[in-house]
């Protein structure tokens, strides 16, 4: 029995439309639609063509339904700038990796979930409550954020796609028990990664029922992330007193792991600077092109769980196919996914640093014309 | 190549190339520690001067003097690295001794260039380096030229090596061997080590195998 949902999953991961898959298999788009809705079963030769076109083995299409993986925060984050093809690919790949994690996790006791679900409080208060629930101190920088979240029962799904303007989304996966999942794309600097994870955490904690406009929800999530990563008391202490300058912001980024532009917004949201000062600082960032190329690179983090599960089941020197074969996932597809998770060596502190995309400016000699 | 030929070659290189010369790079490298020191001291000082003049009639001299005043106060309070000394000169002038060399700090003119010495004999003496042919950057005197853009709020610092001033028109800009900008000191700042080093409290995820249902009578869940 072929599972139509798997055909759709493979097609969307392969970034094919129904029409394109039909063309590759010599069938009509309507046939693909019927297969995907389980209203019709493909012939063996058609199935082979589908496998060839999508890069998935035939065994994958015979697998049972994957855990339900709603769109979650994909419904309202950066939708305008993200194509539906990218969105489907990200969601289906996230779903696949989550399935791998869920399958392997069945052999182990569930990790205790400490993430609260909070209603009817201001985002800042929700952030403080979440810090407390996760066992974080109320006023110090949070390092190793992804690992700490995993140890508190949040599943971090890392997918090795660098999609511009899309960093992460989150869902409560429909498993038993339900699990909070944050799906993160790669290739982003550590500070942006930390902000995205905190932003998604806000959706998981506060927005399990979707009420309000997407922009309101996004704004609330940003307020939560600001308080979660840089609590008000510490922010007032560190940003108050002397004038806020680029050097001060660079020092604070180094200590708190938050982008300089986010620090400016935090100062503004807390009323430490006026709107005029906010615009003044953003003009400086724009003039220096720091909005694209900020100084003080923060090392990016890798989650750990997928790799830890594989090591625990198949041994420390497991091979990709050990994980891929039981799930019918192509090994070559899973390899970069596993590589985006931390190995024991990574945990020992060999963290990587994202270099700035462009070399810092400076050093050009200007020879001025002689004066008459 | 003789020493004289080397010197001529060096000067020719300085005068005809637009790329950073070795000499300019060496000079910048030698005085690089001054960049972060000045950025840290001058950025808030500029803001304080700006704030003071906000709502008052703008006076460029007052602005520059206030900036220098606050900068001097900050420099006096800061712990400078070994090998760097700061001297507060009359009228809040700023002089550094760094690695055997001298560097003065001056505000640029509107075109970003070093302003002429006017009738100041000490400035004239400082700027006159037309007869120097040494390739040792420590043999030269330098000017750190600061510029503030009121539109963007940007403070930029450049290292200049004065060559000579115009004796007939001493208010004209000083001719320099080179100008080279300091990279903003924020690029010298690194992430706190806690972000990359392992933390004892964040050890590996602890996975506990489920007990077999037949043996325990439950699924082992600790939920």
């Amino acid at each position: 029995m072929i599972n139509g949902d798997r055909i759709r999953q493979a097609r969307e991961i392969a970034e094919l439309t129904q029409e394109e898959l039909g063309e590759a298999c010599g069938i009509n788009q309507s046939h693909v639609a019927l297969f995907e809705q389980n209203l019709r079963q493909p012939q063996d030769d058609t199935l082979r063509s589908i496998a060839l076109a999508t890069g998935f083995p035939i065994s994958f299409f015979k697998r049972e339904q994957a855990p339900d993986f709603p769109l979650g925060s994909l419904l309202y984050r950066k939708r305008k700038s993200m194509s539906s093809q990218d969105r489907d690919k990200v969601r289906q790949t996230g779903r696949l990796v989550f399935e791998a994690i869920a399958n392997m996790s069945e052999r182990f006791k569930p990790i205790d979930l400490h993430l609260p679900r909070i209603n009817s409080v201001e985002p800042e208060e929700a952030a403080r409550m979440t810090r407390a629930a996760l066992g974080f101190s109320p006023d110090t920088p949070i390092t190793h954020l992804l690992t700490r979240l995993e140890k508190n029962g949040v599943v971090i799904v890392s997918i090795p796609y660098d999609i511009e303007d899309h960093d992460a989304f989150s869902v409560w996966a429909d498993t038993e028990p339900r699990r909070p999942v944050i799906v993160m794309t790669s290739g982003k600097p550590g500070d942006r990664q930390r902000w995205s994870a905190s932003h998604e955490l806000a959706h998981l904690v506060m927005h399990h029922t979707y009420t309000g406009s997407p922009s309101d929800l996004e704004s609330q999530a940003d307020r939560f992330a600001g308080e979660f990563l840089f609590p008000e008391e510490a922010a007032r202490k560190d940003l108050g007193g002397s004038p806020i300058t680029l050097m001060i912001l660079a020092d604070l980024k180094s200590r708190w792991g938050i982008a300089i532009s986010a620090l400016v917004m935090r100062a503004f949201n807390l009323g430490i600077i006026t709107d005029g000062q906010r615009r003044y600082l953003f003009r400086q960032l724009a003039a220096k092109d720091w909005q694209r190329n900020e100084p003080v690179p923060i090392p990016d983090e890798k989650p750990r769980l997928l790799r830890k599960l594989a090591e625990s089941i198949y041994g420390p020197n497991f091979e990709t196919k050990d994980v891929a074969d039981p799930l019918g996932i192509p090994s070559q597809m899973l390899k970069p996914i596993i590589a985006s998770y931390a190995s024991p060596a990574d945990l020992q502190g060999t963290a990587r640093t994202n270099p700035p995309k462009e070399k810092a400016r400076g050093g050009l000699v200007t020879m001025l014309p002689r004066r008459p | 190549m003789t020493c004289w030929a080397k010197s001529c070659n060096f000067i020719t290189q300085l005068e005809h190339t637009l790329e950073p010369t070795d000499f300019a790079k060496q000079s910048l490298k030698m005085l690089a520690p001054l960049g972060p020191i000045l950025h840290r001291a001058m950025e808030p000082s500029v803001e304080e001067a700006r704030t003071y003049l906000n709502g008052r009639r703008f006076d460029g001299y007052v602005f520059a003097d206030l900036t220098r005043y606050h900068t001097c106060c900050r420099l006096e309070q800061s712990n400078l690295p070994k090998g760097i000394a700061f001297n507060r000169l009359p009228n809040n002038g700023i002089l550094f001794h760094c690695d055997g060399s001298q560097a003065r700090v001056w505000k640029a003119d509107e075109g970003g260039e070093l302003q002429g010495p006017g009738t100041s004999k000490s400035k004239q003496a400082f700027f006159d380096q037309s007869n120097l042919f040494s390739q040792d950057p420590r043999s030269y005197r330098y000017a750190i030229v600061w510029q503030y853009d009121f539109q963007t709020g940007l403070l930029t610092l450049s290292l200049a090596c004065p060559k000579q001033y115009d004796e007939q028109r001493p208010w004209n800009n000083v001719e320099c061997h080179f100008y080279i900008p300091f990279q903003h000191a924020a690029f010298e700042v690194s992430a706190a080590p806690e972000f990359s080093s392992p933390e004892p409290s964040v050890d590996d995820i602890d996975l506990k195998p489920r007990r077999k249902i037949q043996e325990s009578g439950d699924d082992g869940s600790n939920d």
Side-chain angles (χ1 to χ4, degrees), chain A residues 299-357:
Chain A
D300 60 344
E301 294 178 39
K302 286 177 167 182
R304 171 74 177 133
L305 184 58
L306 175 69
R307 202 167 183 136
K308 173 73 179 181
L309 286 163
E311 288 165 7
S312 303
I313 296 170
Y314 305 110
N317 299 317
F318 74 92
E319 291 184 19
T320 306
K321 69 179 182 58
D322 296 333
V323 184
D325 287 355
L327 296 163
I329 307 173
S331 284
Q332 70 271 21
M333 183 193 162
L334 196 62
K335 200 169 183 175
I337 291 171
I338 290 177
S340 67
Y341 280 79
S343 66
D346 290 323
L347 288 185
Q348 293 306 309
T350 50
R352 303 141 307 125
T353 299
N354 270 331
K357 282 180 183 167

Side-chain angles (χ1 to χ4, degrees), chain B residues 23-40:
Chain B
F23 172 67
K25 283 185 197 167
Q26 283 171 25
S27 303
L28 185 67
K29 190 177 174 188
M30 179 180 75
L31 297 173
L34 297 180
I37 292 167
L38 270 174
H39 269 123
R40 285 185 189 281

Side-chain angles (χ1 to χ4, degrees), chain A residues 115-146:
Chain A
L115 193 68
R117 299 180 86 168
I118 300 167
N119 276 322
S120 308
V121 298
E122 290 296 308
E124 290 79 7
E125 181 58 23
R128 287 190 282 272
M129 291 164 74
T130 304
R131 259 191 176 245
L134 297 178
F136 301 166
S137 82
D139 56 2
T140 54
I142 305 170
T143 61
H144 308 83
L145 176 61
L146 299 189

Side-chain angles (χ1 to χ4, degrees), chain A residues 90-103:
Chain A
V90 164
R91 175 175 166 255
Q92 291 288 14
T93 309
R95 186 183 181 201
L96 194 66
V97 178
F98 175 71
E99 188 185 1
I101 290 173
N103 275 20

Side-chain angles (χ1 to χ4, degrees), chain A residues 9 12 25 46 72 185 200 261-262 289 334 359 369 371:
Chain A
Q9 189 175 23
E12 290 185 345
C25 301
T46 305
T185 57
E200 295 306 326
S261 50
D289 198 26
L334 196 62
K359 202 177 172 188
R371 295 262 158 187

Side-chain angles (χ1 to χ4, degrees), chain A residues 256-315:
Chain A
W256 289 92
I258 306 173
I260 288 173
S261 50
L263 286 166
V264 174
M265 285 309 298
R266 183 78 180 128
F268 172 65
N269 289 333
L270 288 172
I272 297 169
I273 57 172
T274 63
D275 188 47
Q277 287 169 310
R278 177 187 67 83
R279 283 187 275 117
Y280 173 66
L281 286 164
F282 271 111
R283 276 203 302 274
Q284 292 180 49
L285 298 183
K288 285 201 166 293
D289 198 26
W290 282 10
Q291 285 164 318
R292 288 193 306 130
N293 177 31
E294 268 198 16
V296 199
I298 303 294
D300 60 344
E301 294 178 39
K302 286 177 167 182
R304 171 74 177 133
L305 184 58
L306 175 69
R307 202 167 183 136
K308 173 73 179 181
L309 286 163
E311 288 165 7
S312 303
I313 296 170
Y314 305 110

